[in-house]
Every structure is written in structure tokens, then in C-alpha cells.
Amino acid sequence: MILLQLSYQIPARLLDGVSTLAIVCTQWGDTGKGKFVDFFAEWADIIARGTGGANAGHTIVIGGKTYVFHLIPSGILYDSAGKINVIGNGVAFDPRILIEELAILAQEGLSFNNLLIAHNARLVLPQHILMDRLRENSLDGSRIGTTGRGIGPAYVDHYARVGLTVNDMLNVDSLRRKLERNLAEKRKLLTHYDPLLIQQIMDHPHLGAGAFFHPSKFFDDDAIVEQYLMYGETLRLLIKDTDQILHDAVGKKRILLEGAQGTLLSIDYGTYPFVTASDCSVQGLARGVGIRERHVDRAFGIVKAFYMTRVGEGPFPTEIGGEQSAKWCNDPLTTKDREAELYPDASVNSSDPFEQGIGIRRAGYEYGRTTRRPRRTGWLDLPLLRYSLRYSGRDAILTKLDVLDNCEMIQICTSYRYDGPPYSIGEQQLVPGTMLRIAIPHVEVMRYCVPQYRSFRGWCRNTSDAKAFRELPIQLRELILFVAREADLNIVLLSVGPDREQTIAMETN
Ligand code: GDP
Ligand code: IMO
Ligand code: MG
């Protein structure tokens, strides 16, 4: 067993009087939740995920070694002191992926006996992955750019009251009965799709490489039942009533809630319909582990600064390189290597915005952990941040400050000018020229929002070794304080690199 040594200090004042802490993202995901869940895991007794599923990719770097988790909570690397890691009821749970991740931990000599899975978590089945991918293949403009992990259809089934839960893997009769009912509905829908495309998707390794395919019925019920019973057997000892465990722990133990995705991807508050299918805000996270939001004593919202990223389709007003960047990043043929080959000189200072976007992507290593897609990059958008803070509160962690170390000029979007046709939001009428300080996340509005920028000189110095705010270059300090003032943020921590130690406490918080 590898024992991970603590080599950093969590400022005690951040957690004064806190029993339940949430780490959430204020943007479109990939802001560094994994790093900060791992950072605070040292403090916590219980680390719990409550939203999303294997669409997430959370990276943790410890002493130069990188771990990426999709389903396992990012606190798993602290396994020596009786900590518990929980996959809560709100998670869309794919047992195949969890078992793969557990095998990787085992290879590393790390234990996972402290992992618990909610018996009532929503189960992801092969039909969900198929439906997700079929929809993404359609040419009618309804593509979301999902991760193809079956997340949307699994939640749809839950709300349509035909979903299965983790516990169904432990009971052959209910598994078969619920599965047959679920598949009967899917079969009716599938008659509208191209059978060859169905077969091609069912041949994908994420769908058992054809093992669940039936040539006339689309699905082989027996094969699915058999496989999921096997998963159930493998995981049986980990499956528990975790809602009760969390309920009993509230106020008595230290609970750390790990957000997935980000507020702008929330099904309830995000840039709908270009969102994921769970509510990744603090509220959704609390509900997804079976506790009430008022039990969350403090929430830290992560802000990637001074640029942001988005994966998949959807509006992104500050995208560097605009439409060209969106098209390039969403083209399935675009890979990191192809980008490197075609644009070897792209840098954070390229005069062509499209190449500058690539330069920032490269500097921040912004390539998806789940799908390997290049993440679209844009400047920090304060109207969206102000909007997002409604749902996560003012306490913030700024990450990836080091990525723009060599950037000579940095743009921050401080407001939008609406430039579209007249549009009503309730009684408010938007007309060309209307200025917006807080974003309105309707696609019909966002697509016509022209960012108004303020330019800042960069610092052009390495910051990744800085240990205190005062060691940071003056230009960077001023920029941090500007963003704090403009968005009314209470910044508690700064991050200047992926490692735990590359974290700086703000002195006044
Ligand atoms: P998550 O989904 O929010 O957990 O974020 P991801 O793991 O998908 O992406 C964040 C990436 O940024 C990871 O590769 C992290 O290791 C890395 N990272 C986190 N904080 C920092 C930072 O302050 N500086 C740099 N350079 N990388 C960081
Ligand atoms: P973490 O937790 C970034 C995006 C997808 C797509 C949309 C819907 O690592 O921050 P889905 O597969 O959920 O139905 O896809 O949501 N998306 C993410 N983008 N980070 C994530 O997770 C994401 N999880 C989903 O790219 O646009
Ligand atoms: Mg991620």
C-alpha cells in the first residue's frame, strides 16, 4: 500500500465551523475540481459525488504522477485513515467503468475498500449508450457534443420512471423484469433508426463489442442480464444505503462533496439545451448524496482564470477564434497530434485569434480527459461568472493562473452588448445595443452577445513556484483583485499548477 504524505497545509480558517464543504465548478467543467477535492480530502472523513457519471474526467497530480477518475471520487487516494468515498444516489452509474477504474487502483497498490456505492444510484445500461450515440449522429442540428457515455438517456429513463438502479444488479427477477420493460420501449423507438448504424454502435467496446447486440431484437436481453448480474456480484460488498450514511454523518463528520461538470452545464441553470443531464450546482450535489442544501456549510466555486473552456457544442461568446475554433474543436477528426502538426507555431501570443486559442489550449493542456477532444478556449467571461455565482455563492478558487504566464496581453470580458433582433425576457425587452452585465443563458440571447473586453498587460514571468500572493507579479495580483471586485468574489485559494503544493492561500480569507 502506498501511503501518501501530506506536503501542504490547508489554511485552518477556511474550514472554521465547517462540517460539510462542497467543491463545484462555476463554468463549463474542467476547472480543477479533481485537484481541489484531493486537496481537501485530507480534511474530510467522507468524500461524496452526487451528480454526473463517467462523463466527468477529474485529474489529480501528486508528486508528478497523474491519476484520472471518471466515477471514483477524487478522495480515493487518501485511503489510510478510515475515510469513506461515496458514489451517491444522483450519479448515473456505469459499473463497467467503475470496475475498470478499480482495476487501475489495484495495479497501483491502492485499496478501495473504503468506496461505497448508493444502492439507489441510476444505472447506465447499454441501451443508454446506444441512444446517446444515435442522437449525436443525427444530422438535424440537434447535436450536443455529448461524451457518449449514456448519461442523458439514463437520466431520461429515471424521470420517465422506467429506470433501473444499482440495486437491481443484485436481484435477478427485478433486473429481468425492469430491463425487459425498458427495452420494449427502446425497441419501438429504434425502428426509426438505420439498423446498420445501430449495429455499428453496438459493436463499440463501450457496448461490450457487440456482446449485447441481437440482429432482430437489437438487444440480447439474456446477455445484458448475465453481464449486469456479474457486475453486481463483483460490487456487492460496496453497495449500501449511502443516503442513510450521509444523513447520520451530517454535522458529526466532515463531509466533502465533489461536484462534477459545472454550473453552466447544469440541466437546470446551464446554457440549455447545451448542458448535461444532471443539476451540477450545489443544490443538485446535496440532493444527489441524500442531504439538504442547507447542510452545506461552505461551497467553493472553482473559476478557471483568466481563460475558460468548453467541450462540445453550444454558445461561447468569448471563444478565441470564434466559429472557426468551435468548428475545429468539434470536428471528430481533430486531435491533439493533428493540431500540433498543422499549427506548430501557435502560441498564447499568436496574432491570429484561432491560433492563439490553440496556443492557450496547448499551454493549459486543454484536451478532454474523457473523450480526448480539444477543449474550446475563450477569455474569462464575467457576465457568465456573475450569473453562475447565484447558484454557488461568492467563495471562489482561481485555477490555472500559471497557464498565461507568457501571454503578453490578456482580455477580460466585463459585459455584453446584445446585437440581435428584439427579444423578450419576461417584461424585459432586449434590443440591439442593450448592455448586459449578467449573462442570460438563453441560446437565443447568447448567440447575439458581443463581449466587451478590457485589456490587461501580462506578467511574462513564471508563477508556478510561487508560494504566497505577495510573490506573484504585480500585474497578476492586480488582475486577481480586478476580477474579485468586478464579480464580487471572495477568493480563498489560488492555483498555479496541477500539484497539491502549487496552491496559494489568499491572505485575507
Ligand atoms: P476537473 O474536471 O474540474 O477535475 O478538471 P480536469 O481534471 O478535467 O482538468 C483540469 C486540468 O488542469 C487537469 O489536468 C489538472 O491537473 C490541471 N490543473 C488544475 N489546476 C491547475 C493549475 O493551477 N495549473 C495548471 N497548469 N494545471 C492545473
Ligand atoms: P468534468 O466533471 C466538461 C459536456 C459534454 C457535452 C455536454 C453533455 O470533468 O468537469 P453528456 O455526456 O454529459 O451528456 O454531455 O456536457 N460535459 C463536460 N464538459 N467537463 C465535464 O466533466 C463534462 N461532462 C459533460 O462535453 O457538451
Ligand atoms: Mg474534467
Side-chain angles (χ1 to χ4, degrees):
M1 164 99 32
I2 300 168
L3 280 184
L4 298 160
Q5 297 298 324
L6 253 196
S7 50
Y8 63 92
Q9 288 252 303
I10 300 174
R13 63 186 181 281
L14 293 187
L15 299 167
D16 245 5
V18 174
S19 171
T20 300
L21 171 71
I23 301 288
V24 290
C25 158
T26 60
Q27 297 165 335
W28 286 296
D30 303 327
T31 42
K33 295 177 292 293
K35 165 172 170 169
F36 280 95
V37 170
D38 169 70
F39 183 88
F40 285 106
E42 198 274 320
W43 161 87
D45 302 311
I46 300 179
I47 300 105
R49 273 195 57 182
T51 52
N55 48 352
H58 296 176
T59 317
I60 302 161
V61 180
I62 304 169
K65 186 157 175 53
T66 301
Y67 300 82
V68 180
F69 297 123
H70 300 290
L71 265 177
I72 292 186
S74 302
I76 200 82
L77 297 175
Y78 286 96
D79 63 347
S80 52
K83 292 184 194 301
I84 299 174
N85 284 272
V86 172
I87 296 178
N89 74 69
V91 170
F93 180 81
D94 184 336
R96 184 187 69 81
I97 292 184
L98 184 79
I99 289 167
E100 259 177 37
E101 293 194 337
L102 294 181
I104 293 170
L105 284 183
Q107 271 169 20
E108 295 277 322
L110 292 161
S111 99
F112 50 84
N113 294 327
N114 56 353
L115 177 68
L116 306 179
I117 305 161
H119 67 83
N120 49 348
R122 299 91 172 87
L123 194 60
V124 176
L125 288 145
Q127 61 267 38
H128 299 135
I129 300 174
L130 173 68
M131 300 311 291
D132 192 0
R133 290 172 187 222
L134 277 175
R135 184 151 193 265
E136 287 293 301
N137 259 288
S138 70
L139 300 172
D140 62 1
S142 65
R143 255 188 113 246
I144 304 282
T146 73
T147 58
R149 298 296 178 103
I151 304 298
Y155 285 113
V156 166
D157 274 2
H158 175 66
Y159 287 104
R161 292 162 289 186
V162 293
L164 278 76
T165 64
V166 162
N167 206 60
D168 289 319
M169 296 190 294
L170 303 181
N171 296 285
V172 60
D173 290 341
S174 73
L175 176 62
R176 183 171 288 282
R177 187 167 29 84
K178 290 183 187 174
L179 184 75
E180 280 171 2
R181 180 169 163 225
N182 185 293
L183 289 178
E185 283 196 355
K186 299 289 178 297
R187 286 188 173 107
K188 280 186 222 151
L189 283 173
L190 288 175
T191 55
H192 300 289
Y193 287 90
D194 171 6
L196 277 178
L197 180 59
I198 295 176
Q199 179 165 7
Q200 196 186 334
I201 296 174
M202 292 294 287
D203 277 340
H204 193 278
H206 284 190
L207 283 134
F212 305 126
F213 181 67
H214 189 286
S216 59
K217 297 194 300 171
F218 302 119
F219 301 105
D220 182 336
D221 302 32
D222 293 338
I224 300 178
V225 167
E226 193 184 323
Q227 180 65 74
Y228 275 68
L229 286 175
M230 251 156 66
Y231 289 148
E233 247 346 276
T234 308
L235 299 174
R236 178 181 289 277
L237 295 178
L238 311 181
I239 299 173
K240 298 267 171 9
D241 181 356
T242 62
D243 284 5
Q244 185 69 46
I245 293 170
L246 268 290
H247 175 81
D248 293 343
V250 165
K252 301 189 191 81
K253 299 237 161 127
R254 291 163 165 186
I255 303 173
L256 174 59
L257 303 183
E258 173 175 4
Q261 289 81 53
T263 306
L264 300 179
L265 285 172
S266 159
I267 185 80
D268 294 322
Y269 309 119
T271 48
Y272 191 91
F274 300 100
V275 292
T276 187
S278 63
D279 172 18
C280 20
S281 72
V282 182
Q283 291 98 308
L285 182 51
R287 199 171 65 217
V289 300
I291 66 172
R292 280 169 279 170
E293 196 211 345
R294 72 181 178 83
H295 289 139
V296 178
D297 303 307
R298 207 159 181 194
F300 293 146
I302 307 203
V303 181
K304 181 141 66 179
F306 297 96
Y307 70 100
M308 52 202 280
T309 58
R310 159 160 226 169
V311 190
E313 308 283 343
F316 190 172
T318 62
E319 183 162 14
I320 305 169
E323 266 299 300
Q324 191 185 357
S325 159
K327 261 183 114 164
W328 171 252
C329 293
N330 286 327
D331 181 340
L333 297 178
T334 304
T335 59
K336 180 170 159 289
D337 291 345
R338 182 151 176 254
E339 190 165 85
E341 207 179 294
L342 289 177
Y343 302 100
D345 300 326
S347 90
V348 293
N349 293 316
S350 294
S351 55
D352 172 40
F354 174 68
E355 294 212 9
Q356 186 178 32
I358 295 177
I360 293 178
R361 177 153 60 247
R362 200 169 287 158
Y365 198 76
E366 299 293 355
Y367 297 90
R369 297 294 181 272
T370 300
T371 58
R372 316 228 164 262
R373 288 179 288 180
R375 296 173 178 157
R376 298 158 65 192
T377 54
W379 297 113
L380 179 63
D381 181 325
L382 295 181
L384 272 173
L385 181 58
R386 292 184 190 110
Y387 167 79
S388 191
L389 295 180
R390 283 188 200 168
Y391 306 103
S392 57
R394 298 179 57 227
D395 288 344
I397 297 174
L398 259 51
T399 59
K400 305 205 88 158
L401 298 177
D402 56 302
V403 172
L404 297 185
D405 274 357
N406 297 318
C407 190
E408 286 156 8
M409 287 306 284
I410 292 167
Q411 317 288 334
I412 306 263
C413 167
T414 52
S415 61
Y416 294 152
R417 194 187 66 238
Y418 176 77
D419 249 357
Y423 186 81
S424 302
I425 303 278
E427 60 176 10
Q428 186 188 2
Q429 184 68 223
L430 302 184
V431 293
T434 304
M435 298 300 291
L436 296 171
R437 236 180 90 74
I438 302 184
I440 298 169
H442 294 207
V443 173
E444 295 79 0
V445 175
M446 295 282 289
R447 73 155 70 110
Y448 296 113
C449 283
V450 182
Q452 306 298 297
Y453 290 109
R454 186 156 159 191
S455 304
F456 294 83
R457 265 190 201 296
W459 45 96
C460 299
R461 222 180 84 190
N462 179 39
T463 58
S464 56
D465 297 328
K467 297 282 174 241
F469 184 67
R470 60 183 174 282
E471 287 176 23
L472 295 174
I474 176 82
Q475 298 89 332
L476 173 53
R477 279 186 276 154
E478 282 179 1
L479 204 44
I480 293 168
L481 297 176
F482 172 79
V483 167
R485 219 171 33 245
E486 278 285 313
D488 192 26
L489 289 181
N490 176 41
I491 299 174
V492 295
L493 291 172
L494 305 170
S495 176
V496 290
D499 228 296
R500 283 174 187 163
E501 294 93 74
Q502 293 173 298
T503 305
I504 297 174
M506 283 296 272
E507 274 134 37
T508 51
N509 292 292

